[in-house]
């Protein structure tokens, strides 16, 4: 069937990236979509939608009788408006007659009469795709992988990429800096030969993989060759294990060598004014309940990239951690160990290298004495990433299910994703619109109820009663702090699940208890939790609230009364 004879029967949206033009007068949403035709073919497209307007709602003047923000409001009490993202603040100011307001979006949201602006624009558009073509929802994403190796011999502090490989389906492209393999007459032939010998399952006579080798003149071009190839292939996700390292060193090398990362990383179809590449740094620390600030492990840091391209960069290490948090901490988040756990394969080892595996010394020796084998090592790092996702489906399936209509930037934020889901549920099922979140959500009345701090209880180490093993050879009578078993109990999603189960919100709460005579704050905290299950906690609640004697006193009184009667 010719191109003209084919008929478009539906579309499915994978993702969208919003970019504001530098002139601050316009914006564009770049959408990765799949087009379905009546002959059964499906093709990826990357399209530009200019100045897309989104709705927002403002409370009608007759209902502006409250000072606190609401979680939702009935549509018949709201006036609907529409605006582009660029003109959002100006449009809200006009709707509320606040011409002199100066401040950020979140500051403006302190106003209690603004609704419907928490869902990202891409989520709204994806919802439209889903409603219009429900049978063509993108169910399984297409995943590519990428990995770099940096120079640890010359100018180590610059982390110059000496090679970069990327794979998609059963093809892999590797860009290699010529200076790294300068001692070989035909580096490409040498790489192909060793790849076939060291990775026979992939490149042997029965292997399914095809290899393209690009020898380049500068460090940046190792990655540029890969990125250009990916723009042609149009995957959905670009999987990187430790995005913080690979992406930032690629970008740094481009900037040092005079390239524009935005021009290279953005899709070639994106107009120059909209080409954009920004690394969104996630939180690197976390504050404990005690106030102590601790550094997050690499797998706990959620970094993302905003770039208008057919594929989105994603940290598959952080994703692996996030999707498994409910099951507890994994034994290891090193790619080598994860590959072994799921594929029963490990990163490429080379017996002739005498330095310990995985150490800086190993990388130095490999780069100096075994450069061709080191390229093959890099190839399998990338192939391993792709094979891993084909097995565990983190990016191909699970991320999409988790996100729904949320941006991937919010994958690690369960409250944000629930809030986005609530927006569509309220609009479609309840004819209501959800509220907005400002930079100051606390109110003056909050000081009169139970404090939100100090709900997490951690026992200090010195309170541990059971002694550990005797681990000191010269003091065999002393018990140490080494134990055979250690346990931790935490219930994933406790608070949002309780809120859902008991329908807890500002809109369903008639009043909040401030004080109860004769009951201290700690007890009120316990009552707040235990009263959700009164059948189980009836005796305890009766004792603490109504001062009913505990059961042992009842029993004692009963025995004494019976004794008196028998006498």
């Amino acid at each position: 069937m010719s191109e003209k004879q084919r008929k478009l029967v539906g579309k499915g949206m994978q993702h969208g990236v919003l970019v504001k033009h530098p002139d601050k007068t316009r914006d564009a949403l770049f959408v990765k979509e799949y087009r379905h035709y009546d002959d059964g073919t499906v093709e990826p497209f990357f399209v530009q939608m200019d100045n897309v307007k989104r709705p927002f709602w403002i409370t009608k003047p007759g209902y502006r009788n409250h000072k606190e923000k609401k979680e939702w409001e009935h549509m018949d009490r709201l006036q609907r408006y529409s605006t582009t993202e660029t003109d959002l603040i100006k449009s809200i100011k006009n709707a509320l007659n606040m011409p002199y307001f100066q401040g950020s979006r979140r500051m403006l949201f302190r106003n209690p009469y603004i609704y419907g602006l928490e869902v990202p624009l891409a989520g709204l558009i994806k919802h439209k795709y889903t409603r219009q073509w429900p049978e063509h929802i993108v169910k399984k994403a297409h995943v590519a992988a990428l990995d770099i190796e940096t120079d640890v011999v010359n100018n180590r502090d610059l982390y110059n990429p000496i090679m970069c490989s990327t794979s998609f389906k059963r093809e892999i492209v590797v860009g290699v800096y010529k200076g790294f393999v300068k001692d070989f007459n035909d580096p490409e032939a040498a790489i192909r030969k060793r790849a076939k010998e060291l990775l026979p399952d992939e490149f042997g006579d029965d292997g399914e993989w095809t290899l393209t080798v690009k020898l380049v003149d500068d460090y940046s071009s190792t990655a540029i060759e890969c990125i250009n190839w990916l723009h042609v292939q149009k995957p959905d996700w670009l999987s990187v294990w430790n995005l913080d390292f690979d992406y930032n060193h690629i970008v740094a090398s481009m900037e040092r060598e005079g390239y524009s990362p935005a021009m290279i990383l953005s899709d070639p179809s994106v107009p120059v004014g909209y080409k954009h590449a920004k690394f969104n740094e996630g939180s690197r620390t976390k504050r404990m309940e005690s106030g102590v600030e601790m550094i997050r492990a690499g797998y706990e840091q959620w970094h993302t990239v905003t770039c208008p391209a057919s594929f989105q960069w994603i940290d598959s290490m952080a994703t692996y951690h996030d999707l498994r948090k409910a099951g507890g901490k994994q034994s290891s988040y090193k790619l080598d160990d994860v590959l072994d756990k799921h594929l029963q394969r490990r990163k490429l080892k080379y017996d002739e290298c005498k330095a310990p595996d995985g150490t800086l010394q190993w990388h130095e020796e490999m780069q100096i004495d075994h450069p061709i084998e080191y390229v093959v090592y890099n190839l399998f790092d990338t192939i391993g990433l792709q094979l891993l996702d084909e097995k565990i489906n983190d990016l191909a399936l699970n991320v999409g299910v988790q996100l729904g209509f949320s941006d991937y930037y919010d994958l690690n934020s369960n409250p944000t994703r629930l809030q986005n889901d609530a927006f569509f549920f309220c609009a479609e099922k309840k004819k209501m619109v959800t509220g907005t979140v400002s930079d100051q959500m606390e109110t003056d009345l909050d000081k009169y109820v139970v404090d939100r701090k100090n709900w997490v209880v951690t026992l200090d180490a010195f309170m541990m009663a059971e002694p550990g093993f005797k681990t000191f050879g010269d003091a065999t009578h002393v018990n140490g702090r080494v134990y055979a078993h250690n346990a931790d109990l935490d219930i994933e999603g406790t608070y949002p699940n309780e809120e859902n189960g008991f329908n807890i919100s500002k809109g369903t709460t008639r009043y909040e208890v401030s004080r109860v005579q004769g009951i201290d704050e700690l007890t009120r905290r316990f009552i707040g939790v235990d009263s959700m299950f009164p059948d189980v906690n009836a005796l305890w609640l009766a004792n603490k609230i109504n001062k009913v004697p505990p059961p042992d006193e009842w029993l004692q009184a009963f025995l004494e009364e019976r004794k008196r009667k028998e006498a």
Side-chain angles (χ1 to χ4, degrees):
M1 185 178 291
S2 69
E3 181 67 27
K4 290 183 179 180
Q5 291 176 313
R6 286 198 310 172
K7 180 182 177 181
L8 181 68
V9 296
K11 298 179 183 180
M13 177 175 166
Q14 169 61 28
H15 66 257
V17 178
L18 177 71
V19 181
K20 295 182 179 180
H21 197 277
D23 65 14
K24 299 181 180 180
T25 65
R26 48 197 164 131
D27 53 52
L29 182 70
F30 294 90
V31 172
K32 171 69 174 293
E33 67 180 24
Y34 284 91
R35 297 181 183 177
H36 298 252
Y37 297 93
D38 59 354
D39 63 353
T41 57
V42 181
E43 294 182 4
F45 280 83
F46 189 65
V47 298
Q48 177 179 337
M49 301 180 179
D50 292 315
N51 300 312
V52 179
K53 289 191 174 183
R54 62 170 301 148
F56 70 96
W57 291 261
I58 301 293
T59 306
K60 293 177 180 178
Y63 296 101
R64 298 179 190 176
N65 54 5
H66 54 91
K67 294 182 179 180
E68 288 193 23
K69 293 180 72 67
K70 292 184 177 182
E71 292 178 326
W72 61 71
E73 183 59 279
H74 296 277
M75 285 186 177
D76 58 6
R77 299 180 180 181
L78 302 173
Q79 181 66 48
R80 188 181 189 275
Y81 298 85
S82 62
T83 180
T84 63
E85 287 285 344
T86 298
D87 291 334
L88 179 62
I89 292 180
K90 182 173 69 175
S91 298
I92 296 175
K93 287 167 59 176
N94 291 338
L96 288 169
N97 193 24
M98 299 172 59
Y100 303 110
F101 172 81
Q102 297 292 327
S104 68
R105 176 173 175 155
R106 292 298 174 191
M107 291 172 64
L108 181 57
F109 286 177
R110 295 175 191 174
N111 187 290
Y113 308 127
I114 305 171
Y115 293 85
L117 286 169
E118 292 302 325
V119 179
L121 178 62
L124 294 172
I125 301 304
K126 191 172 187 179
H127 185 260
K128 287 185 177 180
Y129 272 75
T130 302
R131 291 294 299 273
Q132 187 170 355
W133 299 291
E135 67 277 16
H136 297 301
I137 296 173
V138 178
K139 297 179 180 179
K140 190 167 186 177
H142 298 87
V143 181
L146 180 142
D147 184 61
I148 68 168
E149 302 299 337
T150 60
D151 195 338
V152 299
V153 178
N154 306 295
N155 298 314
R156 180 186 300 172
D157 294 341
L158 294 179
Y159 294 95
N160 285 315
I162 51 177
M163 65 191 70
C164 176
S165 61
T166 187
S167 64
F168 184 55
K169 298 182 178 177
R170 285 298 181 265
E171 296 182 59
I172 186 166
V173 174
V174 61
V176 182
Y177 175 52
K178 288 180 180 178
F180 180 67
V181 289
K182 62 182 184 300
D183 295 333
F184 294 83
N185 293 327
D186 190 348
E188 180 177 348
I191 293 170
R192 290 184 179 280
K193 179 175 182 295
R194 292 302 277 152
K196 184 175 182 179
E197 293 169 349
L198 297 174
L199 297 174
D201 291 343
E202 286 70 38
F203 302 110
D205 293 336
D206 297 326
E208 299 179 338
W209 288 78
T210 60
L211 171 63
T212 300
V213 180
K214 301 282 189 178
L215 301 175
V216 298
D217 296 319
D218 54 41
Y219 297 112
S220 302
S221 294
T222 59
I224 292 172
E225 290 288 346
C226 293
I227 299 299
N228 289 340
W229 183 74
L230 289 170
H231 285 319
V232 176
Q233 302 302 313
K234 289 182 169 54
D236 300 322
W237 293 113
L238 180 56
S239 170
V240 181
W241 199 268
N242 191 1
L243 179 68
D244 187 21
F245 182 89
D246 290 50
Y247 179 86
N248 284 316
H249 290 314
I250 288 172
V251 167
S253 70
M254 289 180 182
E255 292 173 342
R256 278 195 300 270
E257 295 179 337
Y259 296 97
S260 168
M263 295 295 176
I264 295 165
L265 301 180
S266 299
D267 192 86
S269 66
V270 175
V272 173
Y274 287 115
K275 288 185 182 291
H276 179 80
K278 180 187 176 186
F279 181 76
N280 308 303
E281 184 175 315
S283 175
R284 298 184 183 275
T285 60
K286 56 184 174 182
R287 185 172 294 276
M288 310 303 288
E289 281 289 317
S290 61
V292 176
E293 194 169 62
M294 299 182 63
I295 297 175
R296 293 179 184 270
Y299 53 81
E300 296 177 303
Q301 299 175 21
W302 184 246
H303 308 296
T304 58
V305 175
T306 301
C307 182
S310 62
F311 55 88
Q312 290 185 294
W313 297 72
I314 189 167
D315 191 331
S316 43
M317 175 178 67
T319 303
Y320 182 83
H321 164 260
D322 191 80
L323 294 178
R324 291 163 181 78
K325 284 191 298 186
K329 185 178 178 180
Q330 304 295 299
S331 59
S332 173
Y333 293 94
K334 294 180 178 179
L335 180 58
D336 192 34
D337 295 328
V338 174
L339 291 176
D340 181 48
K341 178 178 180 179
H342 295 284
L343 302 178
Q344 291 73 55
R345 296 185 69 175
R346 287 191 173 274
K347 301 174 76 167
L348 186 66
K349 304 296 189 293
Y350 191 55
D351 293 340
E352 293 187 26
C353 181
K354 303 307 179 185
D357 291 339
T359 63
L360 178 62
Q361 291 75 19
W362 184 89
H363 287 273
E364 287 179 331
E365 183 177 333
M366 288 293 292
Q367 290 184 13
I368 294 171
D369 298 334
H370 315 287
I372 297 299
E373 289 76 14
Y374 196 64
V375 175
V376 180
Y377 163 83
N378 172 253
L379 291 176
F380 186 71
D381 274 9
T382 300
I383 291 171
L385 265 180
Q386 188 169 330
L387 295 177
L388 176 66
D389 201 76
E390 290 174 6
K391 177 70 178 292
I392 64 179
N393 284 308
D394 277 5
L395 306 184
L397 292 175
N398 300 329
V399 167
V401 172
Q402 291 284 328
L403 287 177
F405 299 112
S406 298
D407 278 335
Y408 98 104
Y409 315 114
D410 298 320
L411 178 64
N412 68 331
S413 176
N414 191 43
T416 299
R417 290 185 280 110
L418 287 173
Q419 176 181 260
N420 293 339
D421 292 342
F423 170 84
F424 294 107
F425 173 81
C426 289
E428 295 175 350
K429 304 293 185 181
K430 302 295 184 180
K431 301 303 179 185
M432 297 187 296
V433 184
T434 53
T436 53
V437 178
S438 77
D439 61 338
Q440 292 182 357
M441 293 301 290
E442 292 188 2
T443 69
D444 292 338
L445 294 176
D446 288 340
K447 62 186 177 184
Y448 297 111
V449 297
V450 173
D451 199 309
R452 289 183 294 177
K453 298 178 181 177
N454 300 318
W455 281 88
V456 177
V457 178
T458 302
L459 298 180
D460 294 319
F462 71 86
M463 298 176 66
M464 298 172 69
E466 292 295 327
F469 292 138
K470 293 180 172 63
T471 54
F472 303 101
D474 54 350
T476 55
H477 63 288
V478 177
N479 292 95
R481 291 297 189 187
V482 177
Y483 298 88
H485 305 285
N486 186 30
D488 177 38
L489 176 62
D490 191 13
I491 304 175
E492 181 75 13
T494 301
Y495 297 123
N497 287 330
E498 283 186 351
E499 289 173 2
N500 288 337
F502 293 97
N503 198 25
I504 301 171
S505 72
K506 285 185 177 182
T508 59
T509 301
R510 298 295 297 272
Y511 60 86
E512 291 186 69
V513 176
S514 175
R515 298 286 187 274
V516 179
Q517 186 174 359
I519 299 179
D520 58 26
E521 180 170 332
L522 178 60
T523 303
R524 294 206 309 275
R525 289 172 183 257
F526 283 118
I527 291 173
V529 175
D530 292 346
S531 59
M532 292 183 176
F533 306 96
D535 292 347
V536 177
N537 300 304
L539 292 177
W540 187 91
L541 291 169
N543 173 250
K544 295 300 180 181
I545 299 176
N546 304 107
K547 306 303 180 184
V548 174
D552 57 337
E553 292 185 19
W554 290 2
L555 177 60
Q556 184 62 34
F558 169 76
L559 293 175
E560 291 177 358
E561 178 67 19
R562 188 174 67 175
K563 185 176 180 181
R564 283 196 300 270
K565 289 182 178 180
E566 290 176 351

